[in-house]
Amino acid sequence: MATGSLFKDEATEEKGERARMASFIGAMAIADLVKTTLGPKGMDKILQSTGRGHSVTVTNDGATILKSLHIDNPAAKVLVDISKVQDDEVGDGTTSVVVLAGELLREAEKLVNVKIHPMTIISGYRMAAECARNALLEKVVDNKLDAEKFKDDLMKIAMTTLSSKILSQDKEHFAKLAVDAVMRLKGSTNLESIQIIKKPGGSLTDSFLDEGFILDKKIGVGQPKRIENAKILVANTAMDTDKVKIYGARVRVDSMAKVAEIEVAEKEKMREKVQKIINHGINCFVNRQLIYNFPEELFADAGVLAIEHADFDGIERLGLVTGGEIASTFDNPESVKLGHCKLIEEIMIGEDKLIHFSGVAMGQACTIVLRGASPHMLDEAERSLHDALCVLSQTVNDSRVLFGGGWPEMVMAKAVDELARKTPGKRSHAIEAFSRALIAIPTTIADNAGLDSAELIAQLRAEHHKEGSTAGIDVISGSVGDMSELGISEAFKVKQAVLLSATEAAEMILRVDEIITCAPRRREDRM
Amino acid sequence: MALAFDEFGRPFIIIREQEQKSRLRGLDAQKTNISAGKAVARILRTSLGPKGMDKILQSPDGDVTITNDGATILEQMDVDNQIAKLMVELSRSQDYEIGDGTTGVVVMAGALLEQAEKLLERGIHPIRIAEGYELASRIAFEHLERISHKFEFDGTNIEDLIQTCMTTLSSKIVNRCKRSMAEIAVKAVLAVADLERKDVNLDLIKVEGKVGGKLEDTELIYGILVDKDMSHPQMPKQIEDAKIAILTCPFEPPKPKTKHKVDIDSVEKFQTLREQEQKYFDDMVKKCKDVGATLVICQWGFDDEANHLLMHRNLPAVRWVGGVELELIAIATGGRIVPRFQELTPEKLGKAGLVREKAFGTTKDRMIYIEHCANSRAVTIFIRGGNKMMIEETKRSLHDALCVARNLIRNNSIVYGGGSAEISCSLAVEAAADKYPGVEQYAIRAFADALDAIPMALAENSGLQPIETLSAVKSQQIKENNPCCGIDCNDVGTNDMREQNVFETLIGKQQQILLSTQVVKMILKIDDVISPSEY
């Protein structure tokens, strides 16, 4: 009897133990890959792209590493996905979430090997995650009402986040930059209004926060280089030959003379448009699109500073900063809101000329100028700073703060352990396993720092047996230290997101007992 | 016989190119078909019930889907076998008709095929088996009607509806917060239901997902959520008592369908054309403003100039809104979709109490909420979750729950779950079998055995001893004459599904039995499979 195959060619099916093994191994491999980047003494990775030029990225950021990997294992894809979401949602903790999920699966594998049903493990994990979250909620500190202390908290959080990145040498400097930038946002999480400009050259400590706005553009030739009390019109309009937008319109002439006439008319039209713009009573005009030579000349004649081709974000930010509206029609000069600033001037950073707007009407936006030895360094610095900014802006909204350095994990592990002792049935094994997985994070931090993790964790555990302990791992001195004295803090929101997403992902992978892979779509061979 | 001889003794080819086709006939064909059907059922068997497992499906492009939903698994499986494709169709039709029980129907069909195989081996003609199954399915169908219960519900008393939806959700990954999910599903369905006509249009419920946050943040919005932002970054982010103009014409110069050309051959024409063009934009915006709209929602794009004019006249606008969403907005706000600017009138504007833009996470993700609508008949379920696969799975699970709630509104009869209905039917069919003379009797008995397969799979997936548990429950049903005894999957300690509040819809169960019988009958009748061989 011939049993035809059920699936198409090349489609594969893995069942039961094998499927579970495949997903566990895949997930753990990913976790192990990023594990070494965890903590202040974590190492960086070099990523080389397969594209043209083989561009190189050096990074310590979990999300960036995982994003660039080509992965075939479906379970590993789940982990990559949670790391990406963590990046979008809170910005930091992208490595921790993957490591925790990996550890949860590692523990789960042991339990599955002693024949505990995955569903039992899942229900144990769920109870444990809930309990851990409550334990954290009990211990949070909220300093929202005390502005001074709150700022202090932010500073600590920024320093903690940055300490695992390339900026750790100058973390104080950058933490201050980040906190200042975020405080200017006044509670909004829109990081768009913080502009980061990277300029190679100088050293990292030369980076600075500018209260005004810096546009990476040049001022047109022959136009004033410095304007005081500037009135700015921010526009998005075509300043090349103004196209006729009516469909099907085309120019058809029968003689050279007519061409010349139309050319004149066109020029006239442009001149009119420029005149209309100038009639707004401005002395600075910023356009998103190109400004051709002819209008530029007209602007120069009128003594108006014209800046062309500021990209879309730049325009939006400029509109936000100067308080002007982005205009596309110029017929009603009286009702268009113009932007204002005290001074526009050309400044030099390194060898590049930039346009600097200072004394702007709205203080929300600001610019951070990063300086550094190489483009790679700057890229990494930008990512690190972005992480810090994300965390800070989230913390401004949800001001609950925890200590760092493995402290939250120990608190959670303790609570979860207690729960395990109280729970009857097989689930208690799973709950215990959850607590072991939590402890794996401080263990990894210690390992990465080259410390004796077994010894340190045991000490830490004993320390945490006392009520209200604030002990954590002090990586710098290599011992157990008081986190409140050392000023190491983390945002509650980040920790919570790590805990919940990691559990969710582990649960998802645990539930799987079969993997069906379709035949990969054939690429047409290049002729 | 592919080769015949005509009256002169010359060979006469009926099927061309014999060697290029593979062909199976008679018992072999049936057995092959049965084993293919069983293979499909075997894949789904482990997904059944609250302790059922999920499957990872990797698409040809490498995308990963993790799901527990029978219809989705089968749809995304790269199935090549014809019989297996029939099973896929079976699950899909259950999905279209009922929305839930897509796994159960395939498992049931698999069990029926397995029983049929045994009968075939004993030499019973496949048609007789099919007829026996048909008789048995009718008995089971009627028996289900008898053991079903009706429950009353209205706008306020929705507890039973929620319980039924919870039964559906308990087998999915969302069972962590099945209570709140079930509540959301029931409230959403009730919001759009027409209780008098007993009809629910599920198209009015929009399910939107966004990664981030946690599952508990999933919410029901009495209004519409649009994954777009305001066309101009400086437009107001919040509008109260909005009057909405819903347009399907672009804020762009008109593009007549007929081919035409506008020739410019003189300076005057050039200038008039230009003026004309500016007037267009001005007119468009003016018309919107004149009818009193405070928000413009448009299906198409805006020209830069028009965009600024809108901003200038303080008329917030949203562009590139999809057709389906546009329709929902129109329903929710009581507005009319206007295809031309000339046809805008104040009566055609939709009304909403609050329109606001909300930002998420650290990236530039914004969505527009349209709430407190004039007519809250359209609702949105907004799902949050840790990752993309989770959101997709939650969407599927909620779809199942919504379908269940809808079915209950159409027909408020329920049967008890946990395999209790199947066991009860099995007993009834078994008892009825003896009354039939002839070979069908065997087929009817086989049907009863097949019905046992579902509780058996439930017990197996829950880690119980399948045979022992099933026989215990069966004897309990007979002893206590209680059709509510089922498999205690969650280790609650009672077998009575009434106490555990595990309900399923009557029509769902009936449909399962009818559909699976039909497909099995069809498969049994095939005795010749001709397929082109590989080329």
Side-chain angles (χ1 to χ4, degrees):
Chain A
M1 193 180 77
T3 317
S5 65
L6 197 57
F7 298 105
K8 284 201 182 115
D9 291 344
E10 288 181 57
T12 55
E13 182 194 7
E14 288 187 57
K15 280 176 157 311
E17 286 301 302
R18 273 183 60 85
R20 207 166 281 138
M21 194 74 90
S23 48
F24 282 165
I25 288 175
M28 283 188 293
I30 289 293
D32 288 341
L33 184 81
V34 291
K35 208 173 176 178
T36 53
T37 62
L38 199 70
K41 296 264 165 100
M43 305 301 275
D44 291 2
K45 309 255 176 241
I46 287 187
L47 306 167
Q48 190 170 21
S49 82
T50 50
R52 214 165 37 154
H54 296 276
S55 65
V56 170
T57 315
V58 182
T59 185
N60 177 294
D61 182 42
T64 314
I65 299 173
L66 293 178
K67 238 182 275 176
S68 337
L69 292 177
H70 296 285
I71 294 170
D72 204 32
N73 186 302
K77 278 191 183 151
V78 176
L79 289 198
V80 173
D81 202 51
I82 55 168
S83 148
K84 222 182 282 173
V85 172
Q86 178 84 6
D87 194 27
D88 287 348
E89 211 29 40
V90 283
D92 192 26
T94 50
T95 313
S96 314
V97 69
V98 175
V99 172
L100 183 58
E103 287 303 325
L104 283 173
L105 288 171
R106 198 188 303 276
E107 292 295 334
E109 190 191 12
K110 285 182 207 155
L111 292 177
V112 170
N113 283 344
V114 294
K115 301 282 177 257
I116 292 181
H117 195 278
M119 287 294 164
T120 317
I121 304 176
I122 288 172
S123 75
Y125 275 8
R126 274 186 193 165
M127 286 171 70
E130 191 57 39
C131 162
R133 189 168 159 255
N134 290 338
L136 282 189
L137 270 174
E138 270 174 34
K139 303 268 181 173
V140 289
V141 188
D142 193 341
N143 285 332
K144 184 142 204 157
L145 301 173
D146 187 345
E148 203 46 43
K149 259 194 177 160
F150 183 51
K151 198 167 173 194
D152 202 40
D153 274 352
L154 286 182
M155 196 66 198
K156 282 185 198 160
I157 290 176
M159 297 234 291
T160 313
T161 306
L162 289 173
S163 65
S164 63
K165 311 279 156 116
I166 203 162
L167 299 177
S168 63
Q169 297 307 315
D170 311 302
K171 62 181 173 188
E172 229 160 295
H173 180 66
F174 281 99
K176 208 165 153 354
L177 281 186
V179 171
D180 282 348
V182 169
M183 291 302 266
R184 293 173 72 87
L185 290 179
K186 301 191 181 74
S188 119
T189 53
N190 186 5
L191 293 179
E192 291 292 307
S193 42
I194 300 176
Q195 190 192 20
I196 299 180
I197 290 182
K198 296 172 286 184
K199 284 282 162 207
S203 79
L204 276 175
T205 33
D206 293 338
S207 309
F208 61 93
L209 175 92
D210 195 278
E211 310 225 327
F213 183 80
I214 293 178
L215 202 59
D216 196 354
K217 287 281 167 266
K218 288 197 183 70
I219 294 177
V221 182
Q223 292 165 345
K225 292 271 186 280
R226 183 187 159 92
I227 296 176
E228 276 176 41
N229 281 333
K231 294 194 198 66
I232 308 163
L233 180 65
V234 188
N236 174 17
T237 183
M239 290 302 276
D240 43 3
T241 45
D242 219 356
K243 289 178 204 86
V244 177
K245 285 173 189 157
I246 291 171
Y247 183 69
R250 61 172 186 181
V251 179
R252 174 172 254 174
V253 288
D254 41 19
S255 71
M256 281 305 284
K258 286 250 169 83
V259 178
E261 271 174 37
I262 290 193
E263 209 184 330
V264 170
E266 223 169 50
K267 270 199 174 166
E268 202 48 50
K269 188 180 162 193
M270 191 37 73
R271 197 188 298 277
E272 241 174 65
K273 189 167 183 178
V274 171
Q275 197 51 46
K276 270 188 201 156
I277 292 170
I278 295 170
N279 282 347
H280 284 69
I282 53 165
N283 45 21
C284 175
F285 175 71
V286 185
N287 192 16
R288 184 167 90 80
Q289 298 173 26
L290 286 172
I291 304 177
Y292 273 31
N293 287 352
F294 175 63
E296 189 176 326
E297 190 191 317
L298 291 176
F299 281 121
D301 285 347
V304 171
L305 172 63
I307 302 164
E308 65 163 11
H309 212 214
D311 54 30
F312 208 84
D313 283 348
I315 277 287
E316 269 184 37
R317 244 180 246 140
L318 198 60
L320 197 69
V321 173
T322 59
E325 69 178 36
I326 301 171
S328 297
T329 57
F330 310 99
D331 289 325
N332 314 301
E334 63 283 351
S335 61
V336 172
K337 266 198 286 174
L338 296 177
H340 293 278
C341 80
K342 291 237 169 58
L343 179 69
I344 300 176
E345 61 180 343
E346 207 175 47
I347 54 166
M348 300 271 290
I349 298 178
E351 287 193 342
D352 291 316
K353 285 182 192 159
L354 303 163
I355 303 169
H356 181 230
F357 298 75
S358 58
V360 290
M362 290 225 277
Q364 267 202 17
C366 58
T367 305
I368 294 175
V369 179
L370 285 179
R371 308 299 312 276
S374 73
H376 298 147
M377 182 95 165
L378 284 174
D379 284 346
E380 177 65 359
E382 186 190 358
R383 276 192 290 274
S384 316
L385 201 59
H386 173 256
D387 278 10
L389 289 173
C390 288
V391 174
L392 288 177
S393 68
Q394 294 293 331
T395 317
V396 171
N397 280 355
D398 183 348
S399 60
R400 287 173 289 185
V401 171
L402 296 164
F403 293 116
W407 178 84
E409 283 81 11
M410 293 312 286
V411 169
M412 288 191 274
K414 190 182 161 202
V416 172
D417 256 344
E418 263 160 35
L419 177 74
R421 257 174 260 146
K422 275 184 268 175
T423 314
K426 277 190 271 194
R427 272 180 303 196
S428 72
H429 292 289
I431 300 174
E432 246 173 26
F434 195 92
S435 114
R436 276 200 298 276
L438 283 171
I439 293 180
I441 288 194
T443 314
T444 314
I445 295 180
D447 278 341
N448 285 347
L451 304 173
D452 183 355
S453 61
E455 171 69 24
L456 269 178
I457 297 299
Q459 278 186 25
L460 201 57
R461 229 183 152 123
E463 199 65 38
H464 269 268
H465 200 61
K466 291 180 223 153
E467 216 31 65
S469 161
T470 54
I473 295 178
D474 179 2
V475 177
I476 312 299
S477 71
S479 61
V480 170
D482 189 338
M483 289 296 122
S484 70
E485 270 173 32
L486 288 168
I488 297 178
S489 295
E490 279 181 84
F492 170 70
K493 198 159 175 192
V494 174
K495 276 286 156 220
Q496 175 183 289
V498 166
L499 182 71
L500 293 179
S501 328
T503 320
E504 224 166 61
E507 191 179 305
M508 205 154 194
I509 295 171
L510 262 176
R511 280 175 67 103
V512 170
D513 77 333
E514 184 153 340
I515 301 175
I516 299 169
T517 318
C518 296
R521 204 184 293 285
R522 290 258 172 81
R523 296 228 177 88
E524 293 294 317
D525 283 327
R526 254 174 263 163
M527 301 307 266
Chain B
M1 276 299 122
L3 204 64
F5 296 93
D6 61 8
E7 63 262 43
F8 305 111
R10 284 178 304 203
F12 185 77
I13 298 165
I14 298 171
I15 298 175
R16 280 197 159 274
E17 291 156 352
Q18 278 295 294
E19 59 286 354
Q20 284 180 31
K21 289 193 164 59
S22 65
R23 189 163 178 214
L24 280 170
R25 308 187 62 242
L27 206 56
D28 267 357
Q30 269 146 356
K31 284 199 173 155
T32 316
N33 293 344
I34 287 173
S35 76
K38 269 161 59 187
V40 175
R42 206 167 46 231
I43 291 175
L44 287 193
R45 201 179 146 94
T46 53
S47 288
L48 200 70
K51 297 260 165 99
M53 306 294 279
D54 290 2
K55 315 269 175 241
I56 288 185
L57 299 154
Q58 203 166 12
S59 81
D61 298 323
D63 295 333
V64 174
T65 311
I66 301 185
T67 184
N68 181 294
D69 182 47
T72 315
I73 298 174
L74 289 177
E75 209 145 297
Q76 303 214 352
M77 240 159 56
D78 224 354
V79 172
D80 204 22
N81 188 294
Q82 299 83 355
I83 301 301
K85 277 184 187 155
L86 270 182
M87 300 291 263
V88 174
E89 284 297 323
L90 166 68
S91 155
R92 196 178 297 163
S93 59
Q94 172 85 7
D95 193 28
Y96 286 159
E97 196 56 31
I98 306 295
D100 184 33
T102 49
T103 314
V105 71
V106 175
V107 173
M108 178 79 204
L112 284 173
L113 285 173
E114 200 173 329
Q115 295 296 336
E117 193 178 11
K118 282 184 203 150
L119 294 179
L120 280 174
E121 250 159 38
R122 287 168 138 187
I124 298 179
H125 194 274
I127 299 293
R128 303 297 286 272
I129 303 176
E131 273 163 17
Y133 277 0
E134 182 65 35
L135 287 172
S137 74
R138 229 170 284 152
I139 299 169
F141 188 85
E142 278 155 22
H143 183 72
L144 278 176
E145 196 93 56
R146 265 199 304 283
I147 60 167
S148 71
H149 283 253
K150 279 194 187 296
F151 62 72
E152 296 306 316
F153 62 89
D154 48 46
T156 49
N157 178 18
I158 53 172
E159 185 55 35
D160 285 331
L161 284 176
I162 293 176
Q163 289 291 354
T164 318
C165 287
M166 272 166 69
T167 309
T168 304
L169 290 176
S170 63
S171 65
K172 314 280 178 187
I173 197 162
V174 295
N175 61 3
R176 180 154 49 107
C177 35
K178 60 179 171 185
R179 172 87 208 177
S180 61
M181 287 286 170
E183 271 172 27
I184 286 175
V186 170
K187 280 184 190 154
V189 168
L190 281 179
V192 301
D194 187 343
L195 287 177
E196 256 146 50
R197 277 176 46 232
K198 294 199 170 187
D199 190 32
V200 184
N201 184 2
L202 285 187
D203 289 340
L204 294 177
I205 302 175
K206 191 174 169 227
V207 182
E208 187 78 43
K210 187 120 204 147
V211 280
K214 47 185 192 292
L215 209 52
E216 283 82 358
D217 296 336
T218 301
E219 54 179 344
L220 177 67
I221 298 161
Y222 288 96
I224 305 290
L225 195 64
V226 188
D227 194 358
K228 290 275 176 299
D229 49 7
M230 295 290 180
S231 64
H232 196 287
Q234 290 167 334
M235 286 176 176
K237 305 277 183 245
Q238 187 161 347
I239 306 153
E240 274 166 34
D241 289 327
K243 294 205 177 62
I244 306 169
I246 305 160
L247 297 172
T248 53
C249 44
F251 275 92
E252 271 164 19
K255 284 183 184 166
K257 296 249 159 52
T258 45
K259 253 195 165 168
H260 73 291
K261 283 186 185 109
V262 183
D263 283 349
I264 303 171
D265 51 9
S266 69
V267 175
E268 293 79 54
K269 278 196 185 164
F270 182 74
Q271 274 164 354
T272 32
L273 206 60
R274 211 183 97 222
E275 273 157 31
Q276 191 79 34
E277 176 191 300
Q278 279 177 343
K279 219 171 135 286
Y280 265 132
F281 291 132
D282 222 29
D283 273 359
M284 287 175 189
V285 178
K286 207 160 160 236
K287 277 195 183 106
C288 298
K289 194 76 190 169
D290 281 350
V291 293
T294 53
L295 175 71
V296 177
I297 290 180
C298 184
Q299 195 176 5
W300 303 99
F302 301 161
D303 195 272
D304 281 346
E305 283 184 41
N307 201 1
H308 176 245
L309 280 173
L310 283 169
M311 155 78 193
H312 201 77
R313 299 269 164 85
N314 200 11
L315 198 59
V318 188
R319 58 182 154 180
W320 297 314
V321 178
V324 182
E325 284 159 345
L326 211 63
E327 233 166 77
L328 281 174
I329 293 172
I331 294 171
T333 60
R336 295 269 294 277
I337 298 176
V338 181
R340 269 184 220 99
F341 286 99
Q342 288 79 5
E343 286 170 21
L344 264 178
T345 55
E347 301 84 64
K348 286 182 181 167
L349 297 181
K351 289 178 190 63
L354 180 67
V355 177
R356 63 194 164 98
E357 198 184 83
K358 197 176 165 189
F360 294 96
T362 58
T363 44
K364 204 178 148 191
D365 270 345
R366 301 199 193 100
M367 284 181 134
I368 292 178
Y369 285 67
I370 302 173
E371 289 171 304
H372 307 298
C373 299
N375 173 4
S376 64
R377 284 286 302 278
V379 295
T380 306
I381 298 176
F382 185 42
I383 301 172
R384 308 300 312 274
N387 55 51
K388 203 171 63 212
M389 295 123 197
M390 187 84 187
I391 300 243
E392 290 302 312
E393 178 65 359
T394 312
K395 268 188 192 169
R396 283 188 287 271
S397 313
L398 267 176
H399 168 255
D400 282 10
L402 290 173
C403 289
V404 166
R406 174 196 62 182
N407 294 339
L408 282 175
I409 287 176
R410 280 196 189 148
N411 178 350
N412 60 352
S413 300
I414 49 150
V415 290
Y416 291 93
S420 64
E422 281 87 356
I423 298 174
S424 175
C425 282
S426 157
L427 289 171
V429 172
E430 182 89 53
D434 297 340
K435 288 178 210 147
Y436 288 88
V439 192
E440 282 85 0
Q441 200 183 90
Y442 280 85
I444 296 173
R445 281 212 192 96
F447 191 90
D449 285 341
L451 278 169
D452 285 345
I454 287 186
M456 195 96 97
L458 273 180
E460 214 175 296
N461 291 345
S462 313
L464 303 168
Q465 298 285 342
I467 299 176
E468 203 175 291
T469 322
L470 180 63
S471 45
V473 173
K474 229 173 182 176
S475 73
Q476 198 185 350
Q477 278 213 5
I478 297 179
K479 221 184 293 166
E480 296 172 12
N481 197 14
N482 176 5
C484 310
C485 290
I487 308 287
D488 178 19
C489 296
N490 288 330
D491 249 352
V492 179
T494 167
N495 274 336
D496 195 327
M497 291 298 136
R498 221 171 343 194
E499 284 169 35
Q500 283 206 24
N501 283 328
V502 178
F503 310 126
E504 280 177 72
T505 52
L506 172 67
I507 39 177
K509 266 273 131 47
Q510 285 179 332
Q511 200 72 23
Q512 268 187 1
I513 290 180
L514 288 184
L515 282 176
S516 53
T517 314
Q518 266 173 27
V519 168
V520 169
K521 267 169 65 189
M522 196 194 310
I523 295 176
L524 283 177
K525 280 185 182 166
I526 301 169
D527 78 334
D528 199 341
V529 180
I530 305 169
S531 47
S533 60
E534 298 294 314
Y535 45 86

